[in-house]
Amino acid sequence: MKIGIIGSGHIGGTLTRRLRALGHEVTVSNSRGPQSLTDLAAETGAEAGTLEETVQGAELVVVAVPVGAVPDLPAALFDGKLVVDAGNYYPERDGDIPELTDRSLSSSRWTAEHLKGAQVVKAFNTIRAPHLMDNGRPAGAPDRIALPVAGDDTAAKRVVMELVDEMGFDPVDGGTLDGSWRQQPGTPVYTADRDADGVRHGLTEARP
């Protein structure tokens, strides 16, 4: 696939490395500009691009920036795109966002409302970057970690679940974007490295 990754921090950088190693065409961007990504591009073979270059040519775009930076993204650029939201809301970093603080919206629904023309799927937010880098396992392995994937569109969710599986993790259907609070920080599945049954159980255990 042609994949765009916005953000080159822990998760964005790790996804760049893993997806390039699997043979996907990856373009990566960050807020500091392509010149700051020279080393990552040289290491992985990914393209360093502007935000526009990263999104326009991509079949799938991963947004791996702080949640507080999402409103700065030009929403029209994402029209018609499959967007994977890998972010988590941390008030101490992102500031007070009332709808997220009082949990009236899941952070991914809030992101989707900013990127109205996109098909948003929540994934890759429950695992620590070093484990995402190193702990993928073949299908059927007894120690295979599962990752929940939430979204409103079944076809879009299937694409992301297949990508999760390709990376060495068991994808678990996490329901809709409104229900994706069940995989946010503070829930039983967050950074817990559970197997598929454990993730399913953890999603049902989660409380608002």
Side-chain angles (χ1 to χ4, degrees), residues 44-143:
T44 62
E47 293 289 328
T50 64
L51 177 63
E52 290 75 16
E53 290 167 342
T54 298
V55 176
Q56 285 171 349
E59 301 167 71
L60 178 150
V61 180
V62 179
V63 174
V65 300
V67 169
V70 168
D72 297 330
L73 298 174
L77 186 63
F78 295 82
D79 283 353
K81 294 293 183 179
L82 170 52
V83 172
V84 178
D85 173 22
N88 289 304
Y89 173 55
Y90 300 111
E92 63 276 12
R93 179 196 65 190
D94 299 311
D96 181 27
I97 301 173
E99 308 96 306
L100 303 186
T101 301
D102 68 14
R103 290 177 174 258
S104 59
L105 286 181
S106 69
S107 65
S108 285
R109 175 61 68 196
W110 185 83
T111 294
E113 289 191 353
H114 284 283
L115 306 178
K116 286 187 180 296
Q119 190 61 252
V120 176
V121 176
K122 180 78 162 184
F124 301 117
N125 73 299
T126 59
I127 186 169
R128 298 183 189 278
H131 296 188
L132 183 62
M133 186 70 199
D134 297 327
N135 292 1
R137 299 288 185 268
D143 59 344

Side-chain angles (χ1 to χ4, degrees), residues 82-83 108-109 119-123 148-158 160-161 172-180 183:
L82 170 52
V83 172
S108 285
R109 175 61 68 196
Q119 190 61 252
V120 176
V121 176
K122 180 78 162 184
V149 178
D152 297 338
D153 183 272
T154 301
K157 194 156 53 172
R158 186 182 307 118
V160 179
M161 293 176 81
V172 170
D173 192 329
T176 65
L177 282 188
D178 286 331
S180 65
Q183 65 191 74

